[in-house]
């Protein structure tokens, strides 16, 4: 086992992780030693799949937009579960991020007078989503990755899987990692850490997310005894491609696409007459499921999946080629369907984890439900929960959030590390911990039980799809809880077929499945407790929002292997809760 | 938006650049002859010949059958026609996957056969993951996004380098309902279908693939956006779609015989940043690529552009870089370019 020492260890190489690295490096003038640990090649993180764009007010004077309006839209979109002070940080920081990416080489779409174009997005009153065709995330990722290459003080550990955080007395010491390519175990010691590993939508079967979106960082924090927040809020993207679940960007509706039911009606008029197809995602997802349940959906012949249609055929073909080229390419390559001529079959699929590691407004990880915040551990991006998205995220606010908190945490960590009197990692404690961890991982490699881990994953995902979906009911949720417990038990008796050290993805998958199982239980527990409907959590038995009893964040902690729930207040500054109508 | 920013090189620039250089070279020859400087006259003659041969080659390449930027349209039609005969057939089909797996202990490829049930939507990646989940968990595959944008799942299907996630199985089956899968043999192999990217990443770094500005402080604390028009964007946009999947290197005959050659991915990215009007590194970029194992290693086979799943045209980019290097070595950096 190799031991490597760093000042700052960043786990995850998506938008949040890479921005954190760049800003930490810049602010410290290259003086701190930074490690980026990623289970993929750094430039392949799931942020590349973000399509529609990044929200931020750029030309308020021209289009009557304002930071206050962006904040209001976000808070109303969150169904009043967002912390309003954090939302203000988001909207204040977002415009600068758009310019920052422009300075790194991102080819934002521009208007004729060379300004950055902005497109309409769901729940946004004014078009304020900057975009680079429908490959925004990809372009941002390439710009960040390429920029990271400039910094000599940043080492990238491609394809290293972190199996544990090393924590003692609320201090982060580093992490235990496995080099996937060689199977070598490495102990990474660091005086500060940033967790930026993204979401956990792979707890579901039909999902728009990458195979790698397994919430590893969230699960690692949870197992290390750190609190998670609002995990029951899982966003379902209204338009995933049937039958594969690949994301069809909201920008398709932003550019003028219609949602049609089997009668050819634009059914959104019954659910959100003023916003129509550009209502927030939770509302559209529920509308689609309601249409399908009322018999106004269509059935996909091959897969038997029910769906509605996303119609772009009335749009200018040139507009589709210029602004939605990837959508077109995906439809053609996977379905043999050209969106210029035929409507696209779509249905809601698991997309975004609104919850995550409980952090304060600076992205510092909280050590308990009400703090105190940890001095040397931060979290940024989808895996953290500040919370700015509350119960429902607005489209294109995710890229802003990743960038804004990537910067905040990177600067925060570097500033902390440049202080003289910080406490260093405890090397002997960490070594001891790492030895135990090495034995545990080697032990998993020897597993010779009777259950196939992939069957367990499939059962888990089906259970979540069926019972923890767009609409939830008490019987279903109770069933899910029971089923997940059974699967956890089964997971103790699995076999690992691949005993090879080199590029053993069987072992990595098993570790991921363990993470997903833990997180799906937390999702179920939080959902069962929340006796109201808010944002993405729609309870059939109680379709009303209950501000008196439930305008609060769910905090879940792992106490001796059991999930313990508690609650924290939502910060309200200027915007009092009101009925959410569009 | 008035100006199209589609990834298409205008024909005018293909003709204009060599023509400009040709005329320049001719005048250079006369000037050199008049002043009795034989070496420079020779240089002028060789540049003229270079311009003619490469100009013709590039023009043929851009207009002829090799045109990858049009290939996407061509692909559209092909996809449609192949898929259409399958529409309505609900049945699944059992396909034999002949997977050549790299055995990391024996250091050789071994053939494994798997039977997989597929329907008309099943991609090669989905099928292989099915194998991993249900029949052979030891099979190693690199994958992530499942939508052709992360660049993880490059491999060879029936000998052709492709992304497994956007390659349909039934469209690619051969006689006897079989399909051949192997790792990208043009890269060092790690295990099964997984190849090593260390070398590939170092090559990428060798061209300084990032935007350089004189005012670094301002670059990281952006106040105002840089002025750039849609016309400026269209000069580098076609080359900015690179997802670093490595398929072009796998296809490149030069890299396969001379591993020192930087290869199409890196060089196309060198051009991408050179052509970006916001970049201020200028001539230094051309010096980086003016070497035998850099642009001059390219023999213009065009295989890279055929292989690119995202319509980047690395072969075209390298030729444009060659012109820029030649132009720069004779006349310095033209002021209108930077």
């Amino acid at each position: 086992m190799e031991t490597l020492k760093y000042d700052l260890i960043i786990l995850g190489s998506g938008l949040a992780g890479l921005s954190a690295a760049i800003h930490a490096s810049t602010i410290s003038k290259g003086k701190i030693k930074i490690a980026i640990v990623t289970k993929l090649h750094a430039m392949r993180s799931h942020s590349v799949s973000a399509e529609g764009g990044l929200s931020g007010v750029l030309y308020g004077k021209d289009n009557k937009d304002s930071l206050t309006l962006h904040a209001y839209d976000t808070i109303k979109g969150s169904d009043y579960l967002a912390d309003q002070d954090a939302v203000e940080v988001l909207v204040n920081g977002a415009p600068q991020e758009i310019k920052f990416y422009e300075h790194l080489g991102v080819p934002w779409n521009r208007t004729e007078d060379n300004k950055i174009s902005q497109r309409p997005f769901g729940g946004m009153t004014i078009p304020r989503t900057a975009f680079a065709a429908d490959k925004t995330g990809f372009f941002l990722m390439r710009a960040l990755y390429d920029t990271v290459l400039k910094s000599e003080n940043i080492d990238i550990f491609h394809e290293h899987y972190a199996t544990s955080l090393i924590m003692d007395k609320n201090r982060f010491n580093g992490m235990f990692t496995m080099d996937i390519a060689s199977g070598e175990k490495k102990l990474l010691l660091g005086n500060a850490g940033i967790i930026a590993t993204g979401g956990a939508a792979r707890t579901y079967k039909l999902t728009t997310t990458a195979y790698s979106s397994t919430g590893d960082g969230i699960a690692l924090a949870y197992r290390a005894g750190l609190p998670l927040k609002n995990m029951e809020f899982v966003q379902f993207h209204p338009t995933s491609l049937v039958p594969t679940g690949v994301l069809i960007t909201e920008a398709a509706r932003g550019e003028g696409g219609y949602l049609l039911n089997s009668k050819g009606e634009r059914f959104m008029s019954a659910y959100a007459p003023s916003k129509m197809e550009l209502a927030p995602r939770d509302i559209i997802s529920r509308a689609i499921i309601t249409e399908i349940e009322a018999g106004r959906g269509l059935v996909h012949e091959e897969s038997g999946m029910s769906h509605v249609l996303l119609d772009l055929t009335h749009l200018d073909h040139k507009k589709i080629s210029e602004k939605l080229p990837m959508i077109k390419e995906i439809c053609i390559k996977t379905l043999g369907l050209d969106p210029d001529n035929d409507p696209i079959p779509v249905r809601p699929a698991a997309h975004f984890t609104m919850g995550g590691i409980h952090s304060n407004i600076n992205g510092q990880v909280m050590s308990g439900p009400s703090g105190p915040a940890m001095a040397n551990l931060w979290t940024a991006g989808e895996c953290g929960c500040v919370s700015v998205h509350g119960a429902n995220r607005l489209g294109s606010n995710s890229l802003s959030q990743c960038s804004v908190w990537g910067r905040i945490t990177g600067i925060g960590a570097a500033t902390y590390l440049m202080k003289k009197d910080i406490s260093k990692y405890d090397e002997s404690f960490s070594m001891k911990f790492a030895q135990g961890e090495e034995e545990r991982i080697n032990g998993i490699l020897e597993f010779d039980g009777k259950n196939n881990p992939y069957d367990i994953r499939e059962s888990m995902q089906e259970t979540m799809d069926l019972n923890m979906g767009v609409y939830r009911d008490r019987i279903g949720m109770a069933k899910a809880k029971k089923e997940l417990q059974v699967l956890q038990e089964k997971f103790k008796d699995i076999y690992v077929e691949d005993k090879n050290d080199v590029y053993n993805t069987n072992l990595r998958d098993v570790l991921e499945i363990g993470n997903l199982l833990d997180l799906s239980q937390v999702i179920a527990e939080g959902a069962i407790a929340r006796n109201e409907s808010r944002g993405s959590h729609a309870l059939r038995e109680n379709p009303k929002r209950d501000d008196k009893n439930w305008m609060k964040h769910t905090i879940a902690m792992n106490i001796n292997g059991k999930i313990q729930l508690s609650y924290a207040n939502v910060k309200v500054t200027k915007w009092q809760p009101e009925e959410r109508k569009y | 938006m008035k100006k199209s920013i589609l990834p298409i090189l205008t024909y005018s620039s293909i003709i204009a650049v060599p023509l400009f250089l040709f005329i320049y070279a001719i005048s250079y020859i006369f000037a050199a002859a008049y002043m009795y400087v034989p070496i420079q006259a020779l240089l002028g003659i060789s540049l003229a010949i270079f311009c003619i041969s490469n100009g013709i080659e590039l023009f043929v390449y851009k207009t002829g059958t090799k045109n990858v930027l049009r290939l996407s349209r061509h692909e559209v039609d092909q996809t449609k026609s192949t898929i259409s005969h399958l529409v309505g057939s609900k049945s699944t089909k059992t396909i034999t996957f002949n997977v050549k797996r790299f055995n990391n202990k024996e250091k050789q490829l071994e053939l494994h056969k798997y039977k997989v049930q597929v329907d008309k939507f099943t991609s090669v990646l989905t099928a292989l993951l099915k194998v991993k989940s249900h029949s052979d968990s030891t099979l190693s595959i690199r994958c992530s996004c499942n939508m052709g944008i992360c660049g993880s799942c490059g491999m060879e299907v029936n000998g052709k380098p492709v992304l497994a996630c956007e390659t349909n199985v039934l469209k690619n089956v051969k006689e006897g309902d079989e399909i051949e899968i192997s790792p990208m043999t043009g890269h060092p192999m790690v295990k099964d279908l997984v190849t090593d990217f260390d070398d590939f990443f170092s090559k990428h770094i060798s061209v300084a693939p990032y935007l350089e500005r004189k005012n670094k402080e301002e670059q990281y604390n952006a106040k105002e956006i840089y002025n750039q028009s849609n016309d400026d964007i269209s000069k580098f946009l076609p080359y900015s779609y690179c997802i670093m999947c490595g398929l072009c290197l796998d296809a490149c005959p030069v890299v396969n015989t001379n591993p020192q050659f930087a290869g199409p991915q890196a060089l196309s990215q060198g051009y991408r940043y050179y052509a970006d009007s916001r970049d201020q590194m200028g001539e230094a970029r051309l010096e980086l690529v003016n070497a035998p194992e850099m642009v001059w290693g390219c023999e213009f086979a065009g295989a890279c552009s055929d292989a690119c799943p995202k319509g980047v045209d690395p072969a075209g980019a390298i030729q444009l870089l060659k012109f820029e290097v030649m132009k720069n070595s004779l006349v310095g950096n033209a002021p209108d370019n930077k």
Side-chain angles (χ1 to χ4, degrees):
Chain A
M1 184 173 54
E2 202 180 344
T3 305
L4 298 147
K5 295 170 184 176
Y6 284 89
D7 293 310
L8 175 60
I9 305 174
I10 297 170
L11 182 58
S13 60
L15 285 187
L18 294 182
S19 340
I22 290 169
H23 291 296
S25 172
T26 313
I27 202 93
S28 71
K29 300 201 165 55
K31 283 199 191 95
I32 58 171
K33 234 178 123 191
I34 302 170
I36 297 174
V37 180
T38 167
K39 66 173 177 176
L40 305 169
H41 287 144
M43 78 299 292
R44 313 202 193 286
S45 291
H46 185 50
S47 300
V48 290
S49 299
E51 296 175 356
L54 191 157
S55 63
V57 179
L58 284 181
Y59 308 107
K61 275 183 198 147
D62 302 349
N63 60 6
K64 295 198 176 113
D65 200 1
S66 70
L67 298 175
T68 320
L69 201 52
H70 187 187
Y72 171 71
D73 287 346
T74 303
I75 291 160
K76 186 177 172 190
S78 81
D79 221 349
Y80 294 92
L81 196 70
D83 283 330
Q84 300 185 357
D85 54 347
V87 172
E88 289 189 72
V89 171
L90 173 82
V91 302
N92 290 339
Q96 195 193 359
E97 299 304 331
I98 299 175
K99 294 175 194 163
F100 173 61
Y101 287 121
E102 195 270 341
H103 277 31
L104 299 187
V106 169
W108 293 117
N109 277 47
R110 302 211 186 205
T111 59
E112 279 168 41
D113 50 354
N114 300 355
K115 284 181 176 170
I116 291 174
S117 295
Q118 291 184 294
R119 63 166 44 134
F121 240 71
M124 303 278 188
T125 326
I126 309 272
R128 61 167 80 93
T129 300
F131 60 100
D134 55 356
K135 294 189 174 186
T136 312
F138 162 74
F139 282 120
L140 303 186
M141 277 295 292
R142 269 304 303 277
L144 287 177
Y145 172 73
D146 283 353
T147 306
V148 163
L149 299 178
K150 274 193 205 180
S151 306
E152 281 170 14
N153 59 322
I154 303 176
D155 291 342
I156 303 177
F157 291 81
H158 295 291
E159 299 193 322
H160 279 62
Y161 188 84
T163 68
S164 262
L165 302 178
I166 304 173
M167 311 278 295
D168 75 311
K169 296 184 214 102
N170 289 335
R171 181 179 54 172
F172 168 84
N173 293 286
M175 57 189 71
F176 185 83
T177 66
M178 178 177 82
D179 183 344
I180 298 172
S182 66
E184 269 173 66
K185 313 294 186 292
K186 289 176 192 171
L187 167 63
L188 263 69
L189 294 172
N191 290 325
I194 299 174
I195 309 173
T197 53
R202 277 279 154 186
T203 40
Y204 292 80
K205 190 166 191 179
L206 188 71
T207 168
T208 62
T209 60
Y211 289 112
S212 52
S213 296
T214 52
D216 304 301
I218 309 178
L220 254 50
Y222 176 68
R223 275 206 292 278
L226 297 168
L228 306 185
K229 194 198 277 174
N230 292 344
M231 286 299 289
E232 66 268 33
F233 294 102
V234 176
Q235 178 165 79
F236 291 84
H237 196 289
T239 58
S240 82
L241 190 65
V242 172
T244 56
V246 168
L247 174 66
I248 302 296
T249 174
E250 189 166 313
R253 285 169 278 133
E255 298 296 348
Y258 296 151
L259 284 170
L260 305 177
N261 61 17
S262 61
K263 293 177 170 172
E265 299 162 339
R266 286 178 70 188
F267 57 86
M268 281 313 296
S269 61
Y271 304 88
S274 74
K275 291 268 180 190
M276 295 296 284
E277 281 86 359
L278 286 177
R281 290 174 178 172
D282 58 332
I283 291 172
I284 298 186
S285 286
R286 281 197 293 277
I288 292 174
I289 299 296
T290 309
E291 287 297 302
I292 289 172
E293 286 178 352
R296 293 190 291 273
L298 297 92
V299 176
H300 187 250
E301 240 185 281
E302 297 287 326
S303 62
M305 285 162 76
S306 45
H307 64 90
V308 294
L309 295 171
L310 174 63
D311 189 4
L312 308 180
T313 55
H314 57 286
L315 299 181
D316 182 10
H317 295 180
K318 201 173 149 232
K319 189 175 184 177
I320 296 180
S321 302
E322 272 176 18
K323 296 188 172 174
L324 304 164
M326 182 154 77
I327 295 309
K328 188 170 171 168
E329 188 187 326
I330 288 170
C331 288
I332 288 166
K333 282 188 177 165
T334 55
L335 299 190
L337 177 155
D338 188 342
D340 282 352
N341 308 321
D342 296 298
I344 310 167
V346 292
R347 65 163 293 135
H351 181 62
F352 187 85
T353 309
M354 258 83 69
I357 304 168
H358 182 26
S359 86
N360 68 9
I361 196 166
N362 301 318
Q364 281 177 294
V365 174
M366 304 289 269
S367 58
S370 51
M374 291 182 51
N376 71 343
L377 187 61
W378 287 259
T379 177
E382 191 178 345
C383 83
C385 184
V386 178
S387 138
V388 288
H389 305 310
N392 173 63
R393 172 172 73 79
L394 291 188
S396 74
N397 267 353
S398 58
L399 298 190
S400 338
Q401 182 219 356
C402 287
S403 313
V404 169
W405 268 275
R407 182 188 291 260
I408 291 174
T409 56
I411 292 175
T415 313
Y416 165 80
L417 287 164
M418 286 187 295
K419 284 187 208 157
K420 288 208 172 65
D421 53 345
I422 56 165
S423 70
K424 300 261 171 201
Y425 47 76
D426 184 338
E427 198 171 339
S428 66
F429 169 82
S430 303
M431 289 290 280
K432 219 170 175 183
F433 181 93
Q435 275 155 12
E437 188 65 4
E438 190 173 20
E439 276 168 32
R440 182 178 79 94
I441 303 300
N442 290 338
I444 294 173
L445 208 55
E446 303 298 317
F447 277 1
D448 227 358
K450 55 178 187 294
N451 298 318
N452 177 351
Y454 297 100
D455 288 343
I456 293 177
R457 182 175 70 186
E458 209 165 310
S459 303
M460 172 197 69
Q461 290 172 333
E462 278 164 8
T463 304
M464 295 297 281
D465 268 4
L466 207 62
N467 303 307
M468 287 288 159
V470 173
Y471 279 111
R472 297 162 177 182
D473 62 70
R474 292 214 176 93
I475 297 173
M477 290 192 294
K479 228 164 85 186
K481 184 181 171 175
K482 213 168 134 196
E483 179 64 17
L484 290 170
Q485 262 160 0
V486 172
L487 292 174
Q488 275 287 21
E489 283 307 311
K490 276 190 177 173
F491 190 65
K492 288 177 186 154
D493 189 25
I494 53 162
Y495 58 82
V496 177
E497 198 180 342
D498 193 349
K499 310 288 185 195
N500 200 320
D501 277 336
V502 173
Y503 219 91
N504 187 336
T505 45
N506 191 194
L507 175 61
R508 185 207 60 198
D509 289 346
V510 164
L511 293 166
E512 285 178 353
I513 295 166
N515 291 342
L516 288 172
L517 274 172
D518 285 356
L519 295 181
S520 56
Q521 284 188 306
V522 178
I523 294 171
E525 201 70 34
I528 288 168
R530 186 170 282 274
N531 185 19
E532 64 158 352
S533 288
R534 184 185 294 272
S536 69
H537 176 69
L539 187 60
R540 284 192 199 268
E541 286 90 348
N542 194 356
K544 284 254 172 341
R545 194 175 80 198
D546 179 358
D547 287 334
K548 200 167 149 240
N549 298 307
W550 286 101
M551 199 168 134
K552 52 192 182 186
H553 301 298
T554 309
I555 308 289
M557 277 184 91
N558 172 14
I559 309 286
N560 303 325
K562 288 233 158 56
I563 304 163
Q564 198 177 78
L565 296 183
S566 57
Y567 293 90
N569 289 333
V570 174
K571 282 196 195 77
V572 177
T573 56
K574 295 180 205 159
W575 297 273
Q576 289 306 315
E578 53 185 51
E579 197 191 355
R580 187 162 166 255
K581 263 198 164 159
Y582 289 95
Chain B
M1 201 181 295
K2 203 162 62 184
K3 293 275 181 185
S4 154
I5 49 167
L6 281 178
I8 293 173
L9 256 174
T10 54
Y11 292 115
S12 59
S13 75
I14 298 163
I15 303 165
V17 174
L19 196 66
F20 163 78
L21 281 171
F22 180 69
I23 294 167
Y24 191 86
I26 296 295
S27 57
Y28 203 80
I29 297 165
F30 279 110
Y34 181 72
M35 284 153 47
Y36 303 105
V37 204
I39 292 171
Q40 291 194 3
L42 274 175
L43 194 68
I45 292 167
S46 62
L47 175 62
I49 294 167
F50 171 82
C51 288
I52 295 165
S53 64
N54 266 274
I56 291 168
E57 212 173 338
L58 192 62
F59 187 74
V60 169
Y61 173 74
K62 276 290 158 200
T63 50
T65 48
K66 273 189 187 171
N67 191 339
V68 281
L69 300 172
R70 286 182 179 178
L71 193 71
S72 54
R73 167 61 60 188
H74 169 69
E75 251 178 14
V76 170
D77 301 339
Q78 211 182 27
T79 317
K80 264 189 157 171
S81 60
T82 354
I83 288 264
S84 62
H85 82 272
L86 294 164
V87 171
S89 69
K90 279 185 194 177
S91 59
T92 55
K93 212 169 179 185
T94 304
I95 303 295
T96 307
F97 279 67
N98 297 324
V99 184
K100 280 188 193 147
R101 297 174 56 172
F102 181 71
N103 181 324
N104 58 294
K105 288 187 183 121
E106 308 292 331
K107 306 274 177 239
Q108 63 185 18
L109 289 169
E110 288 170 0
L111 182 68
H112 292 246
K113 283 178 179 281
Y114 303 102
K115 289 201 183 306
V116 190
Q117 273 215 333
V118 302
D119 62 31
K120 68 172 185 175
F121 301 114
T122 311
S123 67
V124 169
L125 179 61
T126 317
L128 291 172
L129 289 174
K130 224 167 154 179
V131 169
K132 187 171 178 64
S133 304
H134 300 298
S135 40
D136 187 349
S137 306
T138 66
L139 179 65
S140 291
I141 313 155
R142 180 185 280 129
C143 68
S144 179
C145 77
N146 197 28
M147 54 193 281
I149 192 75
C150 79
S152 299
C153 62
M155 56 184 74
E156 290 175 15
V157 174
N158 298 333
K160 200 177 156 228
V162 293
L163 294 178
C165 70
E166 46 176 50
T167 303
N168 184 283
V169 175
L170 289 183
K171 266 175 61 190
N172 289 283
V173 284
K174 306 202 297 190
E175 246 173 78
D177 288 340
E178 300 202 348
I179 189 164
E180 314 285 328
I181 312 287
S182 80
M184 293 190 284
T185 46
H187 292 267
M189 287 172 266
V190 178
K191 185 184 173 239
D192 297 345
L193 298 171
V194 178
T195 50
D196 183 67
F197 272 72
D198 286 356
D199 234 32
F200 180 86
F201 293 154
S202 336
K203 285 176 175 170
H204 177 67
I205 296 172
S206 73
V207 299
Y210 30 73
L211 209 70
E212 278 287 17
R213 297 288 295 187
K214 285 171 186 143
N215 187 347
K216 292 198 170 48
E217 177 64 30
E218 202 276 336
Q219 189 180 11
Y220 287 90
N221 292 291
K223 299 281 181 292
E224 294 302 324
I225 59 169
Y226 302 140
N227 195 27
Q228 189 169 48
S229 68
N230 282 317
D231 250 5
D232 295 333
I233 293 175
S234 66
K235 294 202 173 86
F236 71 87
L237 191 65
Y239 309 102
S240 66
Y241 295 117
C242 169
I243 58 172
M244 300 181 75
C245 60
L247 296 182
C248 57
L249 257 77
D250 188 46
C252 173
V254 184
V255 177
N256 275 280
T257 46
N258 172 21
Q260 297 304 311
F261 175 47
Q265 189 275 339
L267 293 170
S268 69
Q269 296 314 289
Y271 185 73
R272 177 253 175 269
Y273 283 101
Y274 177 77
D276 193 326
S277 63
R278 296 169 292 187
D279 186 68
Q280 295 179 328
M281 197 164 157
E283 292 172 26
R285 285 203 183 277
L286 299 177
E287 281 156 28
L288 274 180
V289 297
N290 185 10
E293 71 277 11
M294 301 300 270
V295 286
W296 305 114
C298 171
E299 289 168 14
F300 207 10
C304 52
S305 299
D306 278 340
C308 180
K310 298 292 121 183
V312 179
D313 178 9
I318 299 173
Q319 307 325 304
L320 291 169
L321 260 184
K322 284 181 186 170
F323 283 128
E324 293 296 334
V325 170
M326 288 295 275
K327 195 167 82 180
N328 184 54
S329 69
L330 283 169
V331 293
N333 222 351
D336 62 344
N337 187 41
K338 286 279 127 172

